[in-house]
Each structure stands twice: as structure tokens, then as C-alpha cells.
Amino acid sequence: MLFTMESTIIGIAAFLFVIGLVALIKKKRNSTRLSTEQSPIKVRVVDEKSAETEEKGEGEIKPISVNYHFTRQCNYKCGFCFHTAKTSFVLPLEEAKKGLTMLKENGMEKVNFAGGEPFIVKRGAYLGELVQFCKQDLQLPSVTVVSNGSLITEKWFEKYGEYLDILAVSCDSFDPATNREIGRQNSTKKDHLESLYRVRDWCQEYKVAFKLNTVVNVLNKDEDMSTYIKELSPCRWKVFQCLLIGGENAGQDALRNAEEMVVTSKEFQEFCERHKEISCLVPESNEQMKDSYLILDEYMRFLDCTRGSKDPSRSLLDVGVQNALKFSGFDEKMFLKRGGKYKWSKADMKLEW
């Protein structure tokens, strides 16, 4: 009888303990819910802002204009070259297209193909496929190329010219002897200036905007190119100050030594002043140029030049565009200040062919 009463008492105690525990849990839950409900605005603002930031990609760099140096190989040996033949690697075509698609999805509007010499890979066929893909499939507003002009053929224009907005040819002198001294000449007897004028004529015939690039250095700093520039009539004449990049054209591991080719800021300004009446002149000093270009190398790595050398990110094919861009050193304000965004689609230029 005693055993039965004790069991009953223990059972009642256990029951009351469970009831009390449940009541305590409910009270805590109600308290938590009340605390949350007392500040619904704060919680909603935080959540909506996070969602909005994620949706819009706030704080991300938009790669509006990208310079894709898909090869380092070249048939010229310019003494000041700042993207030298340190490797012979070229991405498989489909991998390159994949990376370009990723860039378009992240806001790329203009792609500039450069080298090395971009026409050296498969005699221009690789470049042509990328140009056509970017204009026809990705529908980029601007597809451009920088070349030395020596390997371009009319057949290339016939096949791919309609997909190209701008073709820039590099020319640093209108004196053949100076071009040879600079290294802007291949091993054949073909003259660089002959290639320049021939390509200019093809651009006119196949409706591609023609652009000219010049690097001001100690060998050409005193030239007056006005007459020739007016004759060629490029849509833009980009004039750069010779720039030193560690590991490329300066330092022990460099394939070029451009230290003796560099001009002072004063000499660069004097060259620009001499040509100020050329309406298409677009001068860029070292300060304007160094960090205001998004440079993509042959592995699709962005190159950070802020420390005077080219420090690569990881490939965007491996880590994504935004993760790679974080290590690009890109100065967007300088890009806009130097006029990096302009009428770069030939449809908008209203050129007379």
C-alpha cells in the first residue's frame, strides 16, 4: 500500500514537472516572437537590403571594356613591348568563348583582342572565330583588334570584316629606319609602312573603322607625324607614353629592356603639343594608362599593374569573373576620366566609307 502511494506521488510530481517545463518553453517562445514583432521594420530593412545587393551585384566591378591578350607570340621585336612572349600558350577556342560569355554576362560591352600579335595564331583564323562569336553570338556593341598589320590578309577581311568594329594598327614612326631601330619590323623585307597603308585601304573597303596607335619613345619623340596622320585619317590616334613594366620590359627577368627608350613627361607633352591640331589625337600618359585598362592574359587572368609589374589573378574560368576582378587593380575613375568609354561601335560612328 505504501509502495503504491509513493509511486502515485512520484508520478504526479513528474507530471507537474513536465507541465511546468512546457509552460516555460512556451513563455520563452512568445517572448522571442514578441521581441521580433516589436521591431519588424529593422528586420525587413536588413533582409531586403541584402536581397537587393545580391540581386543588383552592388559593389561589383562592371567589366565594360576588356583587353584580351590571348597570345604573347609576335613576329616583331619592339624594344619597348610591355606584353612579351613569356609563354606560347593559347586557350582552346571553346574555352575562350566560354570566358567571353562569362564576361558578357557580367556587363562587358567592348572587347579588344590584342597580343603579342593576334593574327599570328592559326594565321588569323582563331582571332576571326572570336571576333565573329563576340559580334554575332554575344552581340557585343564593340569588337576591336590591335595588330601590327603585317600578317593581315584581304581574305580575312572578306570573311570576318563585317563583325569587326575597329582595327587599330600600331605605328611609331613614318621613317622606315626608325621603325627598324625600334624593332617594328619582321625578318622579311616587307616594309611596315606598306602594311599600314594596305590595311587602312582594306578597312575602308570592308567598312571597318581604322585606328592608329603610337608609342612615344626616345627614337620618335622629335618627329612631326601630322601630314601622315591627316593622310591616313584614322577615327582615333592613340598616343601612349613609353611605359616600364617589371618582368616585361624592365628588370632581370624581362625579355626586353626599355629603360633607355623611356621619355620624360615633358618630352611626351611636347610631342602631343606638336600634334594638337590633329582632331583625332587621344594622348595617354603613363599615369592615365597604367591602371585604367582591364587586361586579361592568355590564361584569362586579370593583370594588376599597380605595383609596377603584372600580378595575375586566378583565371576567371576557375573562380568566376567577379572573384578574378577583385585582383585586377582596375581604376574605373581613371578609365572614365581618360575617355575610355566613347563611340566604339562603327554603327554609331556614322563614318563615310
Side-chain angles (χ1 to χ4, degrees):
M1 183 72 174
L2 181 62
F3 176 77
T4 303
M5 289 180 63
E6 287 178 351
S7 299
T8 302
I9 292 170
I10 291 172
I12 292 171
F15 177 74
L16 291 173
F17 175 77
V18 170
I19 295 252
L21 184 62
V22 170
L24 182 64
I25 291 172
K26 284 184 177 181
K27 182 177 180 182
K28 189 172 182 180
R29 284 179 177 174
N30 288 337
S31 176
T32 301
R33 184 167 61 248
L34 180 61
S35 175
T36 301
E37 290 172 351
Q38 285 174 341
S39 56
I41 296 176
K42 182 178 180 181
V43 173
R44 186 165 61 247
V45 168
V46 171
D47 289 345
E48 286 183 0
K49 186 174 181 180
S50 299
E52 184 180 356
T53 299
E54 184 176 349
E55 182 180 348
K56 292 184 178 180
E58 192 173 315
E60 295 181 346
I61 299 173
K62 192 175 180 181
I64 298 175
S65 176
V66 177
N67 297 273
Y68 180 23
H69 295 250
F70 63 80
T71 180
R72 285 177 171 267
Q73 299 300 301
C74 188
N75 59 327
Y76 280 9
K77 295 182 179 179
C78 301
F80 49 70
C81 180
F82 59 83
H83 200 73
T84 56
K86 301 176 77 172
T87 77
S88 58
F89 180 80
V90 177
L91 270 175
L93 188 62
E94 292 308 311
E95 287 291 289
K97 288 181 178 180
K98 178 183 176 183
L100 290 165
T101 302
M102 292 168 66
L103 286 162
K104 165 67 187 305
E105 291 170 348
N106 277 266
M108 180 175 70
E109 298 176 15
K110 174 180 180 286
V111 63
N112 178 49
F113 294 108
E117 170 49 48
F119 282 88
I120 206 169
V121 182
K122 296 184 178 180
R123 298 182 178 180
Y126 182 94
L127 171 65
E129 289 295 314
L130 292 183
V131 166
Q132 182 174 353
F133 174 75
C134 286
K135 181 57 73 173
Q136 187 171 266
D137 294 68
L138 298 185
Q139 297 188 344
L140 292 183
S142 183
V143 181
T144 71
V145 171
V146 175
S147 167
N148 63 38
S150 65
L151 302 177
I152 303 177
T153 64
E154 187 172 8
K155 286 185 178 180
W156 192 94
F157 274 97
E158 290 172 354
K159 189 171 184 179
Y160 302 111
E162 64 180 296
Y163 308 110
L164 185 62
D165 288 276
I166 302 172
L167 176 60
V169 177
S170 300
C171 182
D172 308 306
S173 177
F174 289 89
D175 178 359
T178 302
N179 278 326
R180 285 193 293 270
E181 191 173 357
I182 288 172
R184 199 170 284 288
Q185 184 80 30
N186 59 21
S187 58
T188 68
K189 294 182 180 180
K190 185 189 294 184
D191 182 70
H192 178 68
L193 295 176
E194 290 179 7
S195 299
L196 172 67
Y197 279 89
R198 183 169 57 251
V199 171
R200 189 282 309 267
D201 291 344
W202 284 335
C203 283
Q204 182 76 15
E205 183 177 351
Y206 292 95
K207 298 182 179 180
V208 175
F210 174 72
K211 179 184 171 186
L212 201 62
N213 286 355
T214 297
V215 177
V216 180
N217 60 87
V218 295
L219 297 174
N220 68 356
K221 64 183 179 66
D222 297 320
E223 276 193 51
D224 187 342
M225 305 181 182
S226 301
T227 301
Y228 302 100
I229 302 301
K230 290 176 182 177
E231 181 184 357
L232 287 163
S233 189
C235 65
R236 283 164 73 85
W237 180 32
K238 206 69 154 313
V239 174
F240 303 99
Q241 183 181 2
C242 184
L243 176 67
L244 293 180
I245 297 290
E248 297 284 355
N249 60 12
Q252 292 182 347
D253 299 329
L255 298 181
R256 298 282 189 277
N257 182 4
E259 293 183 13
E260 295 182 357
M261 301 186 76
V262 174
V263 294
T264 65
S265 295
K266 181 182 177 183
E267 289 171 326
F268 177 72
Q269 290 302 323
E270 287 174 350
F271 181 92
C272 295
E273 183 68 19
R274 192 180 310 127
H275 298 89
K276 66 180 180 180
E277 307 237 340
I278 304 295
S279 60
C280 60
L281 172 66
V282 182
E284 283 187 16
S285 65
N286 288 346
E287 181 184 1
Q288 292 172 307
M289 177 173 59
K290 186 169 70 74
D291 304 323
S292 65
Y293 284 82
L294 275 175
I295 302 175
L296 201 64
D297 76 358
E298 65 273 23
Y299 299 100
M300 285 205 158
R301 305 177 301 185
F302 286 108
L303 300 178
D304 180 355
C305 300
T306 56
R307 289 178 288 275
S309 60
K310 289 183 175 178
D311 300 320
S313 68
R314 292 182 63 187
S315 174
L316 63 84
L317 293 169
D318 296 328
V319 301
V321 173
Q322 286 302 320
N323 284 329
L325 277 169
K326 291 175 183 177
F327 302 93
S328 65
F330 180 56
D331 186 343
E332 187 176 24
K333 288 184 179 179
M334 182 58 78
F335 166 75
L336 295 172
K337 184 178 179 180
R338 68 167 173 80
K341 187 135 178 24
Y342 58 96
K343 285 187 178 181
W344 49 33
S345 170
K346 63 183 178 183
D348 297 331
M349 292 180 192
K350 298 179 181 179
L351 298 174
E352 295 182 5
W353 305 108

